[in-house]
Amino acid sequence: MAGPSRGAGAGAGAAAPRRGGNPAAGAAALRSPPLLLLLPLLLLTCCIRCAAGAAQSNIILVLVDDQDVELGGMVSRGTRKTRERSRRERRGFTVTPLCCPSRSSILTGRYPHNHEVRNNSLTGNCSSLLWQKGPEAEAFPVYLSKQTYQTFFAGKYLNQYGRKEAGDVIHIPLGWDQWNALVGNSQYYNYTLSVNGKAEQHGDSYEKDYLTDLILNRSLHFLEDKSPQRPFFMMLAPPAPHSPWSAAPQYQDKYNNVQAPRDGSFDKPGKDKHWLLRQPVHPMPNSSLVFLDNAYRRRWQSLLSVDDLVDTLVKKLASTKELDNTYIFYTSDNGYHTGQFSLPIDKRQLYEFDIRIPLLVRGPGIKPNLTLKAPVLNIDLAPTILDISGVNLSTVNMDGQSFLSQMAPSLRNGTARPYFLIEYTGEGNPVSDPYCPKLGAGVSQCFPDCVCEDAYNNTYACVRTLDKDQNLQYCEFADSESFVEVYNMSSDPHQLENIVKKVDPSFLQTMNQRLIKLQSCVGNSCHDYI
């Protein structure tokens, strides 16, 4: 288990505190539901308590990369201690199943159509200069800094962060005191960090460089060096379980006999689905099965270090007597699939395995082992964190809702969300992929067995209805077919049958109107469910 002085750059990154801005400008195969928390009555009146001089609560957000729920990702995949450290379970969803737009939604509390990050590329607005001047300048850390929070970031930020075209490593987003951000996409070794605006190179030594452990060790140093007079916020974003799935040496022999689950929609044909789901080879060739099983095992292995990270942080907070006043959120940017509908590995699809995410939270006064059924979106994290800090939410422009009122029945004055939006903009290549020349141009994420996981016209928007009366999903594609998929999630939880031709046309019209409304909503209008 990693500790305060062990491995991965334990002593580095302790530069003097600074506020964000540009320094150059002077500034297992078991199933489990996703998870959440219940906040105590006293903290729901935080603004009153803070005004009276009571201590503000500390907050930690652990954001992993590509961790699923539907395929057992929160049971056997190295998160046993993390689950034991949590208190509440809840249905968590990402509003878009891809890293950069999802992380942008977490930071801003906005749907992708409002923060305008469409994919993982600079041309898709990922960490672009336009993003930095607009939505990033209104992200929730900016508000926390104004609430006197000490703020710390370590790990993956956005996929294009630190590129020269995106402002280079000198760019520190507003609101952060301590900044240890990975340049580019997830890596475990051989990467560059922006450490308070300066490039820091890392190699392939486990003791010095393994990124998950480095994140832990620098967070422990932050906890030791911070001011005891002010609350703190930490955002820790380890690379696991994203590819290349590099496990710590002590975990590389774990789960060697584990296979990806073969039930549900595994290796099922994409009948009556969008064309991208109809093109995979079926049944899957043995080469694809071997590949996805290896990925599945290595994902589990990489998460064992994340489990150590959470466990060590909790023990550290307990030893300093800060645990009772600290909220810890654990979630992922999106889900993941390994063989569902004969798709080898990836995310980007509208189905539950890609849009469901883990959501665990513990904090003061939270009763353990309880499940809350109302859905929470990743755009709800920002307003909830600000609500805990005492920010007046009427002063922020966010599409998400604080879920404090939902979690305290005695103060239930919020509106339970009966339906919500999932949206995604597909990515493709302008020329044909060498692995899949028969599909022509416009596809991407292709595998040697000629299965492509994405395309320009894999662009869709969905209404997910999830309440006591309806458990449904309605999706429209922006393609030449105007293709529609509809699923009854109560009778068909694995989304095997598209029932668009079986439902009443009036239902389709109602869902279409809801979708149009959600796709144009901004701020409070995203909470209007009439």
Side-chain angles (χ1 to χ4, degrees):
M1 180 179 298
S5 60
R6 172 181 171 260
R18 68 198 301 167
R19 286 288 172 204
N22 189 333
L30 297 175
R31 300 294 189 267
S32 84
L35 312 165
L36 185 59
L37 100 100
L38 180 66
L39 296 177
L41 175 62
L42 290 178
L43 283 192
L44 293 174
T45 56
C46 179
C47 56
I48 300 175
R49 295 175 67 244
C50 293
Q56 292 170 280
S57 292
N58 308 309
I59 308 167
I60 298 174
L61 172 60
V62 180
L63 176 62
V64 294
D65 199 348
D66 287 1
Q67 186 170 4
D68 67 275
V69 165
E70 289 293 290
L71 308 184
M74 284 306 298
V75 177
S76 298
R77 294 185 198 185
T79 51
R80 176 185 58 81
K81 289 177 282 190
T82 299
R83 286 177 56 83
E84 290 172 354
R85 295 297 190 181
S86 70
R87 296 287 183 86
R88 279 278 170 168
E89 299 188 1
R90 198 179 185 101
R91 299 188 184 196
F93 291 85
T94 181
V95 297
T96 186
L98 188 63
C99 300
C100 196
S102 175
R103 289 166 182 257
S104 301
S105 286
I106 290 170
L107 289 163
T108 62
R110 299 177 188 175
Y111 280 117
H113 67 262
N114 286 327
H115 61 59
E116 297 185 324
V117 177
R118 296 178 294 280
N119 54 48
N120 288 342
S121 68
L122 270 176
T123 57
N125 211 26
C126 179
S127 200
S128 68
L129 298 179
L130 181 64
W131 150 266
Q132 294 169 18
K133 294 176 182 178
E136 186 181 67
E138 299 176 328
F140 74 82
V142 176
Y143 294 91
L144 289 178
S145 68
K146 295 177 181 178
Q147 293 293 101
T148 73
Y149 273 74
Q150 303 165 87
T151 56
F152 173 91
F153 181 90
K156 175 179 173 178
Y157 183 60
L158 300 174
N159 296 57
Q160 298 298 325
Y161 172 77
R163 309 294 190 194
K164 291 188 182 301
E165 304 88 343
D168 216 328
V169 297
I170 64 172
H171 172 67
I172 304 174
L174 293 172
W176 296 104
D177 295 325
Q178 290 291 326
W179 183 249
N180 300 267
L182 178 67
V183 174
N185 202 4
S186 284
Q187 293 290 328
Y188 300 76
Y189 297 106
N190 299 307
Y191 55 85
T192 301
L193 289 181
S194 170
V195 179
N196 296 322
K198 295 182 179 180
E200 181 180 278
Q201 304 295 328
H202 285 266
D204 57 5
S205 166
Y206 171 68
E207 291 294 328
K208 296 179 181 178
D209 303 311
Y210 190 67
L211 184 54
T212 302
D213 287 358
L214 181 145
I215 292 168
L216 169 61
N217 288 318
R218 294 197 179 180
S219 68
L220 294 174
H221 280 286
F222 170 77
L223 291 174
E224 292 167 356
D225 296 340
K226 65 177 178 58
S227 168
Q229 279 75 46
R230 295 163 53 205
F232 67 83
F233 170 78
M234 302 170 67
M235 185 170 176
L236 312 180
H242 196 285
S243 62
W245 315 302
S246 302
Q250 66 269 29
Y251 295 134
Q252 290 175 0
D253 62 347
K254 301 294 184 182
Y255 308 120
N256 284 337
N257 297 319
V258 171
Q259 284 187 328
R262 263 45 175 182
D263 56 356
S265 59
F266 183 85
D267 204 12
K268 293 290 194 300
K271 182 181 179 182
D272 297 325
K273 289 178 167 52
H274 190 244
W275 78 269
L276 195 64
L277 273 291
R278 300 196 300 266
Q279 54 87 29
V281 177
H282 175 80
M284 300 178 75
N286 187 64
S287 57
S288 289
L289 295 174
V290 170
F291 177 78
L292 69 87
D293 280 336
N294 180 59
Y296 191 85
R297 285 189 291 271
R298 293 175 67 187
R299 283 163 54 79
W300 283 30
Q301 293 167 353
S302 71
L303 279 167
L304 287 167
S305 294
V306 178
D307 208 28
D308 288 344
L309 179 151
V310 174
D311 189 53
T312 304
L313 272 178
V314 169
K315 290 176 178 177
K316 176 68 173 179
L317 292 169
S319 71
T320 58
K321 296 181 170 50
E322 294 178 293
L323 183 61
D324 290 344
N325 192 39
T326 302
Y327 287 94
I328 304 176
F329 294 73
Y330 181 100
T331 192
S332 175
D333 48 9
N334 46 256
Y336 206 73
H337 59 260
T338 49
Q340 283 58 50
F341 296 119
S342 301
L343 296 171
I345 62 165
D346 202 41
K347 49 267 187 173
R348 307 169 200 262
Q349 307 304 328
L350 57 88
Y351 308 102
E352 292 287 280
F353 44 72
D354 284 355
I355 65 173
R356 287 280 299 275
I357 55 174
L359 186 51
L360 304 87
V361 189
R362 65 164 295 144
I366 300 172
K367 296 180 180 180
N369 303 320
L370 294 175
T371 301
L372 301 177
K373 296 182 179 180
V376 168
L377 311 182
N378 59 351
I379 58 173
D380 297 335
L381 287 168
T384 302
I385 289 169
L386 294 186
D387 210 355
I388 293 172
S389 75
V391 170
N392 181 350
L393 296 183
S394 67
T395 64
V396 301
N397 178 23
M398 293 183 175
D399 305 331
Q401 300 172 246
S402 170
F403 45 83
L404 298 189
S405 60
Q406 297 180 29
M407 294 182 292
S410 62
L411 291 182
R412 187 178 293 278
N413 56 4
T415 302
R417 176 186 282 113
Y419 55 86
F420 52 90
L421 176 67
I422 307 292
E423 53 188 346
Y424 178 72
T425 301
E427 292 183 82
N429 295 316
V431 298
S432 63
D433 191 287
Y435 288 129
C436 277
K438 68 180 183 182
L439 294 179
V443 295
S444 64
Q445 309 299 316
C446 298
F447 290 84
D449 292 315
C450 196
V451 178
C452 296
E453 297 264 3
D454 206 2
Y456 285 133
N457 66 359
N458 184 40
T459 297
Y460 57 80
C462 304
V463 176
R464 182 72 169 86
T465 297
L466 187 63
D467 60 23
K468 63 180 181 180
D469 298 319
Q470 288 187 323
N471 188 2
L472 302 163
Q473 187 174 26
Y474 170 92
C475 301
E476 295 181 3
F477 283 83
D479 62 6
S480 59
E481 298 178 86
S482 298
F483 199 80
V484 176
E485 295 187 29
V486 181
Y487 298 98
N488 184 333
M489 304 300 298
S490 296
S491 61
D492 181 22
H494 300 297
Q495 296 165 286
L496 300 176
E497 181 185 11
N498 179 7
I499 59 172
V500 63
K501 296 179 181 178
K502 297 182 178 180
V503 296
D504 191 307
S506 64
F507 166 80
L508 297 178
Q509 183 177 9
T510 297
M511 298 301 279
N512 170 262
Q513 292 303 307
R514 285 181 178 177
L515 185 58
I516 292 172
K517 184 176 180 179
L518 283 171
Q519 284 186 283
S520 61
C521 77
V522 179
N524 288 335
S525 68
C526 297
H527 314 159
D528 183 3
Y529 302 113
I530 297 176

